[in-house]
């Protein structure tokens, strides 16, 4: 692990709105300018860094969700507020999605759980300060989906590109159902009880109603996906994984019957956006 005295991560430039790092802190953040995100209301592009956030009191708290799965909760930070997950296994740990912040205390907390063998951001909005997390753990590989590699704006030694399917450590599998962005990825592993667990990023989002999930091109801007895209996502997951529990990247979760929730929710979504239920929306 890189020593605190030589850590480069605290100076990583990042957008002060979405939190994604960059080598070129000028102009407009391309992640925020895309239709899935949004620019600052006043039109001013601002930049930040973990060091600046630390000076304002930012911190990361690790909390166990279930045996072998931890969440990283950041407070006082920039970014969209994603909740990264750490899958802890006896064959190596995998960070799924990346906080927009890092500090020495967080590095020590992850180290105490066995460190980090690999990082898998589900899509560009979750890149956070991925080069910093990689550097903090001996340039751990950061596996970026090939369709989304063009969104990477900071090169670093641990950067890797993948397509199709990936097993960053034995027993932890990733694949790319797409949808929210072309390379949107999900990560699957087996919990301590043997049940299938899916980390779905923004590909599939849990919603307040029990047993339902959602699929969107843009969550903040409420842009839906088509019937075909949603059915493709559901079929992709069903063909590869048995899923009892699902955790998305914003504290959403389905703790039982998640595979059925994905299938039924996808069909419901597809039928609504296809116009099948337009007679329930008012005069036709």
């Amino acid at each position: 692990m890189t020593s605190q005295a030589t850590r480069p991560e605290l100076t990583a430039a990042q957008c002060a709105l979405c939190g994604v790092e960059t080598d070129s802190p000028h102009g407009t953040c391309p992640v925020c300018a895309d239709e899935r995100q949004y620019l600052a209301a006043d039109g001013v592009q601002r930049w930040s860094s973990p060091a600046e956030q630390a000076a304002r009191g930012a911190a990361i708290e690790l909390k166990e969700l279930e045996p072998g799965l931890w969440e990283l909760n950041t407070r006082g930070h920039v970014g969209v507020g994603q909740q990264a997950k750490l899958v802890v296994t006896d064959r190596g740990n995998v960070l799924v999605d990346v906080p927009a912040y890092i500090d020495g205390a967080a590095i020590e907390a992850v180290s105490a759980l066995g460190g980090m063998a690999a990082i898998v951001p589900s899509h560009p909005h979750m890149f956070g300060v991925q080069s910093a997390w990689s550097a903090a753990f001996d340039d751990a590989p950061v596996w970026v989906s090939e369709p989304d590699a063009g969104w990477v704006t900071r090169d670093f030694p641990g950067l890797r590109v993948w397509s199709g399917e990936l097993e960053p450590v034995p027993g932890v599998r990733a694949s790319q159902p797409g949808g929210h962005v072309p390379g949107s990825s999900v990560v699957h592993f087996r919990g301590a009880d043997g049940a299938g667990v899916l980390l779905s990023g923004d590909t599939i989002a849990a919603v307040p109603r029990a047993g339902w999930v959602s699929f969107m091109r843009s969550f903040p801007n409420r842009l839906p996906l088509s019937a075909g895209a949603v059915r493709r996502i559901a079929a992709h997951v069903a063909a590869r994984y048995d899923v009892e529990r699902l955790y998305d990247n914003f504290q959403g979760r389905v703790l039982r019957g998640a595979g059925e929730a994905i299938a039924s929710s996808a069909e419901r979504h597809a039928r609504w956006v296809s116009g099948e239920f337009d007679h329930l929306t008012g005069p036709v």
Side-chain angles (χ1 to χ4, degrees):
M1 187 175 69
T2 306
S3 70
Q4 184 166 336
T6 59
R7 283 199 330 261
E9 61 267 14
L10 294 181
T11 59
Q14 58 187 139
C15 173
L17 186 60
C18 72
V20 173
E21 66 184 8
T22 181
D23 273 335
S24 304
H26 54 76
T28 299
C29 170
V31 172
C32 293
D34 181 75
E35 68 177 4
R36 282 159 289 213
Q37 286 296 113
Y38 48 88
L39 298 168
D42 61 7
V44 178
Q45 176 67 56
R46 297 175 176 86
W47 303 97
S48 184
S49 70
E52 182 178 305
Q53 296 178 64
R56 297 199 304 267
I60 292 180
E61 176 190 23
L62 274 71
K63 179 182 177 182
E64 189 175 35
L65 287 169
E66 61 176 77
L69 182 64
W70 293 70
E71 62 184 11
L72 281 71
N73 296 308
T74 310
R75 60 173 173 78
H77 63 102
V78 302
V80 296
Q82 64 261 38
Q83 184 189 69
K85 308 293 193 297
L86 184 71
V87 182
V88 177
T89 83
D90 58 7
R91 307 292 293 275
N93 299 344
V94 180
L95 182 67
V96 180
D97 291 326
V98 187
Y101 180 65
I102 188 171
D103 62 16
I107 293 169
E108 291 173 6
V110 171
S111 297
L113 292 172
M116 191 179 298
I119 299 170
V120 182
S122 63
H123 66 290
H125 303 146
M126 301 294 108
F127 284 173
V129 286
Q130 59 188 11
S131 71
W133 280 97
S134 173
F137 290 92
D138 296 323
D139 294 328
V142 177
W143 294 98
V144 172
S145 293
E146 188 277 332
D148 300 334
W151 290 97
V152 176
T153 56
R154 190 176 205 210
D155 195 12
F156 55 96
L159 181 63
R160 305 287 187 273
V161 175
W162 68 287
S163 59
E165 300 191 7
L166 172 73
E167 193 168 13
V169 303
V172 179
R173 300 168 55 202
S175 60
Q176 302 171 356
H180 177 58
V181 298
S184 281
S185 304
V186 297
V187 174
H188 182 272
F189 67 98
R190 294 204 172 276
D193 60 354
V197 180
L198 191 74
L199 305 182
S200 61
D202 270 352
T203 303
I204 306 167
V207 297
R209 184 172 180 128
W212 286 31
V213 296
S214 182
F215 313 81
M216 299 287 281
R217 174 168 172 80
S218 170
F219 289 92
N221 299 325
R222 305 297 191 267
L223 289 174
L225 290 169
S226 72
V230 169
R231 284 176 169 143
R232 186 191 74 229
I233 292 167
H236 175 106
V237 171
R240 289 164 175 79
Y241 311 119
D242 63 289
V243 183
E244 177 63 17
R245 296 186 291 277
L246 175 149
Y247 298 89
D248 66 24
N249 53 348
F250 285 96
Q251 301 187 340
R253 59 200 66 178
V254 179
L255 297 181
R256 64 180 63 87
E260 173 55 31
I262 294 169
S264 61
S265 297
E267 191 58 25
R268 182 185 307 110
H269 178 119
R271 293 173 69 187
W272 268 100
V273 299
S274 296
E276 185 172 338
F277 300 121
D278 280 1
H279 63 284
L280 300 177
T281 65
V284 293

